[in-house]
Amino acid sequence: MSAQKIVIIGGVAAGPKTAARARRVAPDAEITIIEKGKLISYAGCGMPFYLAGEVHKFDHLFETTYGVIRNEEYFWREKGVRVITRTEAKSIDRDKKEVHVENLETGEQYTVPYDKLVLATGAQPFVPPIEGLNLKGVYKLNHPDDAQQIKEYLGEVEGGEAVIVGAGFIGMETADALMKLRMFCSVVELQDQILPGVLDKDMAEVLAKKLTDQGLEFYLGHKVLKLEGDEDGHVTAVVTDQGTIETELVVVSVGVRPNVQLAKDAGLTIGQTGAIAVNDHMQTSDPDIYALGDCVENTHLVSGKKVFVPLATYANRQGRVVGDNVAGGDEVFRGILATGVLHTMGFNIGRTGLGEKQARDLGYQVVAGIYHGFDRTHYHPEHGMVLMKLVTEAGTGKILGAQALGQGDAVKRTDVLATAITMGATVEQLFDIDLGYAPPFATPIDVSMHTANIIRNKVAGLAETITVQELKQKMDRGDDMVILDVRTEPQFNMRRLKDDRVKLVVLGDLREKIDEIPRDKEIVALCALGTRSYEALRTLKGAGFKDVKYVEGGLQAWPYEL
Amino acid sequence: MSAQKIVIIGGVAAGPKTAARARRVAPDAEITIIEKGKLISYAGCGMPFYLAGEVHKFDHLFETTYGVIRNEEYFWREKGVRVITRTEAKSIDRDKKEVHVENLETGEQYTVPYDKLVLATGAQPFVPPIEGLNLKGVYKLNHPDDAQQIKEYLGEVEGGEAVIVGAGFIGMETADALMKLRMFCSVVELQDQILPGVLDKDMAEVLAKKLTDQGLEFYLGHKVLKLEGDEDGHVTAVVTDQGTIETELVVVSVGVRPNVQLAKDAGLTIGQTGAIAVNDHMQTSDPDIYALGDCVENTHLVSGKKVFVPLATYANRQGRVVGDNVAGGDEVFRGILATGVLHTMGFNIGRTGLGEKQARDLGYQVVAGIYHGFDRTHYHPEHGMVLMKLVTEAGTGKILGAQALGQGDAVKRTDVLATAITMGATVEQLFDIDLGYAPPFATPIDVSMHTANIIRNKVAGLAETITVQELKQKMDRGDDMVILDVRTEPQFNMRRLKDDRVKLVVLGDLREKIDEIPRDKEIVALCALGTRSYEALRTLKGAGFKDVKYVEGGLQAWPYEL
């Protein structure tokens, strides 16, 4: 009996991980990786950090933790895996079980037989249909070559201005990198919020305001029409449907599309999302062909729907599953929560599960809650704020999703929520979790639990809330109300809503000044974060006031100019 | 009908939290806190940080997040809660439903009637039965006064040496604080490991080695017999059963005991742990008397057993439950995982659930696994290592406990595991969790999942492992074996086991040099962290070697001198 032949198409992340795992469980298999490019097994997610200079050496993106470059020789010597680079898989003959390939250097064509085939063909940046993409100074940031080219180009220009097209993950990480390089950055986004599909609009607005305060400029709801250049072919401006932004550098990051042509041509099923359809064993419609990573769609663990969310962690975790299964195993990859985290300009941002709008669009009855607090005890010198939002199902209390952002550790809370949601936790169960508390790490009741308690208080009828967006709408349409600011006088004098309906009553004075507050008007209590205004609401309700709300997230979540 | 009278005994953490919550749900209740001391609502956990100078102002430990001091006036004005300080509850008359109290300033005695009584009497430091505790320079670190006194005393001495008695949470945090103050610190611990009851001995040994390398000295398994002083009454030495340690400062932190006398005298049930017994509504054996915080025992969520684990987070979370219930609510506090986290000397340490020994002692069949890896991508400039251990139940794969430590973010992983364990997750389900990945926060497959995979590999028969402790025992008793170090030559030359049985074969050379390795001997593969040695094990197994193991955690987990 000849050795099992495992052929893997794609050598960036999912492919090599599959090969490594298959080798460990099937020592006798012949394992071959076919990669179109010349680089393999590189840290694609590291590009913005290389660009920012935080990763100093290009090679670090290709090294193992112990400093060995992951090249063809490494895979052969350490893993016994054959890697063929600069070679493209042109077609699959499923009957003969062979792949037709072409050596892109020599033009030589030949066939590679397989017993099990693995498609790890990845995704590629979507290229928007606009003029000027071939100007000098216009880049994407998807491949190590891109990062190197931008670095070289930046060596040519003097300081300068940059425009990033697309306010998604890579766009926002690129903004961080370019700001670190002292570029003046603008971000143009077609949708009316940053991080669309990542954050709900209310959360995105808070973040955008904070980033704007630090010097980043956003053009939201702007459609890029074309890029303009000078006589030397260098880009000079981004022209949108609402104006022209001068610039010396453009980075286009408007999402990626799965590479499915090879699978499609072979007659494999493509899912409704446009990515390759796989079952929970990561098998395509042909049981001898597996697919994983950025070219497949996944099952959302909350909604049960198919989604296309290409992330490196799935590529790696699916690699273990496929590596087992092509070697005769029976492993499953259940699905994803579309958990996404990023760091940009001092802010940590995370999301997992369903967003509020997404949940409502799927037909869920939703109770959402926002809490603004510190990630660790406020007396600890390193504390930072976290704005957190939980999305739960009305009635069951099941947690559907979570979002968190701030200079504090928003990502730890995202991971806790991802764990809770995967396990089907309700908002009550979240309160049962014994999270680690010590002053350098958390508060005695963690931000995530406070957020859960906001929702429990709402459901119990203890707290009626409005969002900053709703308050702004009420202000704009001239609602008769008292905006009861209960902060201290110095806080009030430093920064406050400029509106005649605002009345300052310091929380500590509220009980004795309660008669100064009209009982026949709607009261909207406001403070910095939402803690004191909730206390004020309870005091007023206790004194018989009927129509009282407090503003979730407080003035710190106010996304508009004051 | 007169207002409901809620009387709370104890004003540090659990009491004020109970009062605040009760006020929010029961606006008409008369709420009174009776506190023996003169300070209330202080951040007891902040003492080491105040001592270290990281909290600059003493008042910060008493302030709200918005800078208001939490004193009697604050509670009255903001919460409508009456606080009586310097007043001790002497006895409870359960028939008349009143508490007999004494004003410690005036000696006046009077009774306070209650409808619902709450015992938040806390715990106090255990005083070991040794001579010399009243010498100058001998302190505990439990109350703000302690921290201030140590600071004043340190102002008197010149630099100097300190001995901490007890290597528990507070002892290790105090060591961190004193090292920051440039003291030369020794820690004396009766048990044969640091952080007993927190970490398993194998994990504690790794940590102790790393802290020793940074200049901290440990005297483990030493029993303190007495403290000696000079003619002025200043402490000069700690005398143990194994020698004398000269010192200018002693901090005694050998655990706390619950304050249960008041409850006991009132005939309330005291649990087997010695703390007050409560049901899941936090009611004592008298349904009108609740108890919470450091004076009660809790139910361990994994074992179902009663345990005494006094932590600030329980005091606060139980405060919400009791605050609801004394106001007519129906809230439960399910139990705890004894999650504990701390930071000391650059290391983050966490544990949750059952330790390995603890689980075995309780009768569980255990599969444990250790993994040593980076908390974020190794090319990110801020990455740190995390040594992680998971304890699972054989057969079911249920996660029983987790421990993590390192300069990397061990605490995030502890929180994720606490969440998973609370929800009853198995080691397979841990792999399903969609944790947030981006280079500044994690690796594509997180340390926690790698640890889970170690266990899955062991259970699947892919990996046989030994611990560094087991390897040391084998070396010491002269076992015939090959210790196959598969690191690079520079790594090997810099730091290695000095033993004739060690053989260097760089992983990349293993396949071609495989005939140099004897097939008739036990092979123990070793690398820095455990990744390459696992790879080597698979390669050797694939080549037909029968008796191969690899060392979990690698040389970085080696707790002995080299």
Side-chain angles (χ1 to χ4, degrees):
Chain A
M1 194 185 96
S2 70
Q4 162 102 332
K5 289 183 183 61
I6 298 167
V7 175
I8 297 163
I9 299 173
V12 176
K17 175 70 190 173
T18 303
R21 177 67 182 175
R23 167 55 69 229
R24 286 195 278 270
V25 289
D28 298 326
E30 263 181 35
I31 305 174
T32 307
I33 296 176
I34 296 167
E35 166 59 34
K36 197 166 62 171
K38 65 180 193 297
L39 300 175
I40 56 166
S41 198
Y42 56 80
C45 307
M47 299 313 140
F49 305 93
Y50 173 65
L51 180 60
E54 295 179 319
V55 177
H56 298 285
K57 233 181 116 197
F58 193 59
D59 282 352
H60 288 171
L61 301 173
F62 298 88
E63 282 175 5
T64 65
T65 54
Y66 46 95
V68 174
I69 299 279
R70 289 184 300 245
N71 55 16
E72 292 91 324
E73 192 191 350
Y74 159 81
F75 275 95
W76 180 247
R77 293 177 62 88
E78 287 206 6
K79 315 264 183 197
V81 169
R82 191 170 153 231
V83 179
I84 307 173
T85 55
R86 293 295 288 144
T87 297
E88 186 173 359
K90 308 293 281 187
S91 63
I92 302 165
D93 186 329
R94 289 165 52 191
D95 294 328
K96 295 194 186 156
K97 296 183 93 170
E98 56 190 29
V99 184
H100 297 272
V101 305
E102 178 181 336
N103 181 321
L104 297 178
E105 301 283 346
T106 64
E108 183 200 357
Q109 301 208 352
Y110 56 101
T111 60
V112 180
Y114 68 82
D115 294 304
K116 301 288 179 190
L117 180 64
V118 177
L119 303 180
T121 48
Q124 58 186 326
F126 174 63
V127 180
I130 54 173
E131 265 177 58
L133 288 175
N134 53 354
L135 288 164
K136 288 176 205 157
V138 180
Y139 297 97
K140 51 189 169 39
L141 188 51
N142 183 64
H143 189 274
D145 289 347
D146 302 328
Q148 273 201 320
Q149 284 168 16
I150 295 175
K151 272 182 112 73
E152 279 163 26
Y153 190 78
L154 287 179
E156 292 174 28
V157 303
E158 301 260 323
E161 299 183 50
V163 173
I164 295 154
V165 180
F169 279 114
I170 293 179
M172 297 309 297
E173 285 184 343
T174 303
D176 179 69
L178 293 174
M179 295 288 281
K180 282 182 178 136
L181 295 172
R182 308 273 176 266
M183 304 285 286
F184 183 82
C185 278
S186 303
V187 180
V188 184
E189 167 60 48
L190 181 61
Q191 297 193 48
D192 63 351
Q193 66 162 89
I194 66 169
L195 292 167
V198 176
L199 295 179
D200 279 326
K201 194 176 172 189
D202 52 358
M203 296 292 281
E205 284 184 345
V206 177
L207 178 62
K209 174 69 164 63
K210 291 184 189 289
L211 297 177
T212 303
D213 289 346
Q214 292 191 35
L216 193 58
E217 291 213 345
F218 291 107
Y219 297 86
L220 302 179
H222 286 233
K223 183 182 169 72
V224 175
L225 300 179
K226 62 174 177 177
L227 308 180
E228 287 178 347
D230 61 17
E231 61 276 14
D232 297 331
H234 287 91
V235 70
T236 56
V238 174
V239 179
T240 76
D241 56 352
Q242 295 172 59
T244 295
I245 313 162
E246 294 192 359
T247 187
E248 287 148 280
L249 177 76
V250 173
V251 179
V252 179
S253 58
V254 292
V256 298
R257 298 289 157 96
N259 292 321
V260 301
Q261 199 58 49
L262 187 68
K264 208 174 200 169
D265 290 347
L268 300 176
T269 304
I270 305 298
Q272 286 192 335
T273 68
I276 301 170
V278 288
N279 64 16
D280 65 357
H281 285 67
M282 305 308 296
Q283 275 166 313
T284 66
S285 51
D286 179 332
D288 288 325
I289 305 180
Y290 291 75
L292 78 164
D294 288 2
C295 62
V296 302
E297 59 183 28
N298 284 297
T299 304
H300 196 290
L301 287 173
V302 176
S303 69
K305 306 278 187 206
K306 296 295 177 188
V307 288
F308 175 62
V309 183
L311 293 175
T313 178
Y314 309 147
N316 279 275
R317 282 162 54 212
Q318 291 169 349
R320 188 182 196 276
V321 170
V322 176
D324 271 336
N325 289 345
V326 291
D330 181 28
E331 291 289 316
V332 299
F333 184 82
R334 278 182 63 216
I336 67 166
L337 291 177
T339 306
V341 299
L342 83 153
H343 178 93
T344 190
M345 296 172 63
F347 286 84
N348 303 306
I349 301 138
R351 65 94 70 203
T352 185
L354 300 177
E356 181 178 0
K357 181 174 183 309
Q358 200 182 2
R360 292 191 195 279
D361 289 349
L362 285 164
Y364 287 95
Q365 295 293 311
V366 167
V367 183
I370 284 177
Y371 179 82
H372 215 152
F374 292 106
D375 66 339
R376 53 200 100 182
T377 50
H378 60 281
Y379 56 79
H380 194 272
E382 286 167 25
H383 72 267
M385 281 207 291
V386 172
L387 179 71
M388 188 151 186
K389 177 175 183 174
L390 283 182
V391 180
T392 66
E393 185 180 44
T396 66
K398 194 180 162 193
I399 305 170
L400 303 174
Q403 293 167 46
L405 61 91
Q407 289 171 307
D409 189 348
V411 169
K412 176 162 79 172
R413 281 74 194 184
T414 304
D415 275 357
V416 164
L417 266 296
T419 308
I421 294 170
T422 302
M423 297 302 296
T426 63
V427 74
E428 280 75 27
Q429 286 175 309
L430 197 62
F431 190 72
D432 288 336
I433 298 169
D434 189 357
L435 298 173
Y437 163 65
F441 303 113
T443 48
I445 296 182
D446 189 66
V447 164
S448 53
M449 285 196 183
H450 277 301
T451 316
N453 286 343
I454 298 273
I455 290 179
R456 298 168 77 201
N457 288 335
K458 282 171 132 177
V459 170
L462 284 170
E464 197 175 337
T465 70
I466 69 172
T467 64
V468 286
Q469 287 81 6
E470 288 164 345
L471 174 58
K472 181 70 160 57
Q473 282 168 19
K474 288 172 68 67
M475 287 166 67
D476 289 349
R477 70 173 176 244
D479 281 14
D480 189 22
M481 60 182 166
V482 175
I483 300 171
L484 186 69
D485 194 323
V486 297
R487 295 174 302 150
T488 62
E489 261 184 80
Q491 288 174 325
F492 183 81
N493 291 334
M494 195 153 59
R495 190 166 174 276
R496 66 185 181 88
L497 296 184
K498 309 278 190 323
D499 189 291
D500 289 345
R501 288 160 290 191
V502 172
K503 180 180 175 65
L504 172 70
V505 179
V506 177
L507 181 61
D509 300 337
L510 182 58
R511 287 171 189 275
E512 65 192 38
K513 291 189 178 173
I514 206 151
D515 293 335
E516 296 177 17
I517 298 161
R519 288 180 176 261
D520 56 343
K521 282 194 183 176
E522 178 182 3
I523 313 288
V524 178
L526 175 71
C527 65
L529 300 174
T531 309
R532 280 173 286 180
S533 52
Y534 169 52
E535 192 80 37
L537 173 145
R538 292 311 308 158
T539 301
L540 293 172
K541 284 280 192 181
F545 284 72
K546 293 282 174 265
D547 191 3
V548 191
K549 302 172 185 65
Y550 83 88
V551 182
E552 285 185 71
L555 207 56
Q556 281 287 344
W558 188 257
Y560 316 106
E561 294 303 321
L562 285 172
Chain B
M1 194 187 95
S2 69
Q4 163 102 333
K5 289 182 184 63
I6 298 168
V7 175
I8 298 163
I9 299 172
V12 176
K17 175 70 189 171
T18 303
R21 176 68 182 174
R23 167 55 70 231
R24 286 196 279 270
V25 289
D28 297 326
E30 264 182 31
I31 304 175
T32 307
I33 296 175
I34 296 166
E35 166 59 34
K36 197 165 63 170
K38 65 179 190 299
L39 301 174
I40 55 165
S41 197
Y42 56 80
C45 307
M47 298 313 140
F49 305 92
Y50 173 66
L51 180 59
E54 294 179 319
V55 176
H56 297 286
K57 232 180 117 197
F58 192 59
D59 281 352
H60 289 170
L61 301 173
F62 299 87
E63 282 174 5
T64 65
T65 54
Y66 46 96
V68 175
I69 299 279
R70 289 185 300 246
N71 56 15
E72 293 92 323
E73 192 191 351
Y74 159 81
F75 275 94
W76 181 246
R77 292 177 62 88
E78 288 207 6
K79 315 265 182 194
V81 169
R82 190 170 153 232
V83 179
I84 307 172
T85 56
R86 292 295 289 142
T87 297
E88 185 173 359
K90 307 293 280 187
S91 63
I92 302 164
D93 186 329
R94 288 164 54 193
D95 293 328
K96 293 191 186 156
K97 296 184 92 170
E98 56 190 31
V99 185
H100 296 272
V101 305
E102 178 180 335
N103 181 321
L104 298 177
E105 302 283 345
T106 64
E108 183 199 358
Q109 303 209 353
Y110 56 101
T111 60
V112 181
Y114 68 83
D115 294 305
K116 301 288 179 190
L117 180 65
V118 178
L119 303 180
T121 48
Q124 58 187 325
F126 174 64
V127 180
I130 54 173
E131 263 178 59
L133 288 176
N134 53 355
L135 288 165
K136 288 176 204 157
V138 180
Y139 296 97
K140 50 189 169 39
L141 188 51
N142 183 64
H143 188 273
D145 289 347
D146 302 327
Q148 273 200 321
Q149 284 168 17
I150 295 174
K151 272 180 112 73
E152 279 163 26
Y153 189 78
L154 286 178
E156 293 175 25
V157 303
E158 301 259 325
E161 299 182 50
V163 173
I164 295 156
V165 180
F169 280 114
I170 292 178
M172 297 308 298
E173 285 183 344
T174 304
D176 179 68
L178 293 174
M179 296 287 280
K180 281 181 178 134
L181 295 172
R182 308 274 177 267
M183 304 286 287
F184 182 83
C185 279
S186 303
V187 180
V188 184
E189 168 60 49
L190 181 61
Q191 296 195 46
D192 64 352
Q193 66 164 88
I194 65 169
L195 291 168
V198 175
L199 295 179
D200 279 327
K201 193 176 173 189
D202 52 0
M203 297 292 281
E205 283 184 345
V206 178
L207 179 62
K209 175 68 164 62
K210 290 184 190 294
L211 297 178
T212 303
D213 288 346
Q214 292 192 35
L216 193 58
E217 290 212 346
F218 291 107
Y219 297 86
L220 303 180
H222 285 233
K223 183 182 168 71
V224 174
L225 301 178
K226 62 175 178 177
L227 308 181
E228 288 178 347
D230 61 16
E231 59 275 15
D232 296 332
H234 288 92
V235 69
T236 57
V238 175
V239 180
T240 77
D241 56 353
Q242 294 171 57
T244 296
I245 312 162
E246 294 192 0
T247 188
E248 286 148 279
L249 177 75
V250 173
V251 179
V252 179
S253 58
V254 292
V256 297
R257 299 288 158 96
N259 292 322
V260 301
Q261 198 58 49
L262 187 68
K264 206 174 202 169
D265 291 346
L268 299 176
T269 304
I270 305 299
Q272 285 193 336
T273 68
I276 300 171
V278 287
N279 64 17
D280 66 357
H281 285 68
M282 305 308 295
Q283 275 166 312
T284 66
S285 51
D286 180 333
D288 288 325
I289 304 181
Y290 292 75
L292 79 163
D294 288 1
C295 62
V296 303
E297 60 183 26
N298 284 297
T299 304
H300 196 289
L301 287 174
V302 175
S303 70
K305 306 278 186 203
K306 295 296 178 188
V307 288
F308 175 62
V309 183
L311 293 175
T313 178
Y314 308 147
N316 279 274
R317 284 161 54 212
Q318 291 169 348
R320 189 182 195 275
V321 170
V322 176
D324 271 337
N325 289 345
V326 292
D330 182 30
E331 292 289 317
V332 300
F333 184 82
R334 278 183 63 217
I336 66 166
L337 291 176
T339 306
V341 298
L342 82 153
H343 179 94
T344 189
M345 295 171 65
F347 286 83
N348 304 305
I349 301 137
R351 65 94 67 202
T352 186
L354 300 177
E356 181 178 358
K357 180 173 185 308
Q358 199 181 4
R360 291 191 195 280
D361 290 348
L362 285 165
Y364 286 96
Q365 295 292 311
V366 167
V367 182
I370 284 177
Y371 179 82
H372 215 153
F374 292 106
D375 66 339
R376 53 200 101 182
T377 49
H378 59 283
Y379 57 80
H380 194 272
E382 286 168 25
H383 72 265
M385 281 208 290
V386 172
L387 179 72
M388 187 151 187
K389 177 175 183 174
L390 283 183
V391 180
T392 66
E393 185 180 44
T396 66
K398 193 179 162 193
I399 306 171
L400 303 173
Q403 293 166 46
L405 61 91
Q407 289 171 308
D409 188 349
V411 170
K412 177 163 77 172
R413 281 73 194 184
T414 304
D415 275 358
V416 164
L417 266 295
T419 308
I421 294 171
T422 302
M423 298 302 296
T426 64
V427 74
E428 280 74 28
Q429 286 175 309
L430 197 62
F431 190 71
D432 288 335
I433 298 169
D434 189 357
L435 298 172
Y437 162 64
F441 302 113
T443 48
I445 295 182
D446 188 67
V447 163
S448 54
M449 284 196 183
H450 277 300
T451 316
N453 287 343
I454 297 273
I455 289 178
R456 297 168 78 201
N457 288 336
K458 282 171 135 179
V459 170
L462 284 170
E464 198 175 338
T465 70
I466 69 173
T467 64
V468 287
Q469 287 80 7
E470 287 164 345
L471 175 58
K472 180 69 160 58
Q473 282 168 18
K474 288 172 69 64
M475 287 166 68
D476 289 348
R477 71 173 175 243
D479 282 12
D480 190 22
M481 62 181 164
V482 175
I483 301 170
L484 186 69
D485 194 322
V486 296
R487 294 174 302 150
T488 62
E489 261 183 80
Q491 288 175 326
F492 183 81
N493 291 333
M494 196 154 58
R495 190 166 174 278
R496 64 184 182 87
L497 295 183
K498 309 276 190 325
D499 190 291
D500 289 344
R501 288 160 289 191
V502 172
K503 180 179 174 66
L504 172 70
V505 179
V506 177
L507 181 61
D509 300 338
L510 183 58
R511 287 169 189 278
E512 65 191 37
K513 292 189 176 169
I514 206 151
D515 292 336
E516 296 177 16
I517 298 161
R519 288 179 177 264
D520 56 344
K521 282 193 183 178
E522 179 182 4
I523 313 288
V524 178
L526 176 70
C527 65
L529 300 173
T531 309
R532 279 174 285 180
S533 52
Y534 168 54
E535 192 78 39
L537 173 146
R538 292 310 309 155
T539 300
L540 292 172
K541 285 280 191 181
F545 284 72
K546 293 284 175 264
D547 191 3
V548 191
K549 302 173 184 66
Y550 84 88
V551 182
E552 286 185 71
L555 206 57
Q556 281 287 344
W558 188 258
Y560 315 106
E561 294 304 320
L562 286 172

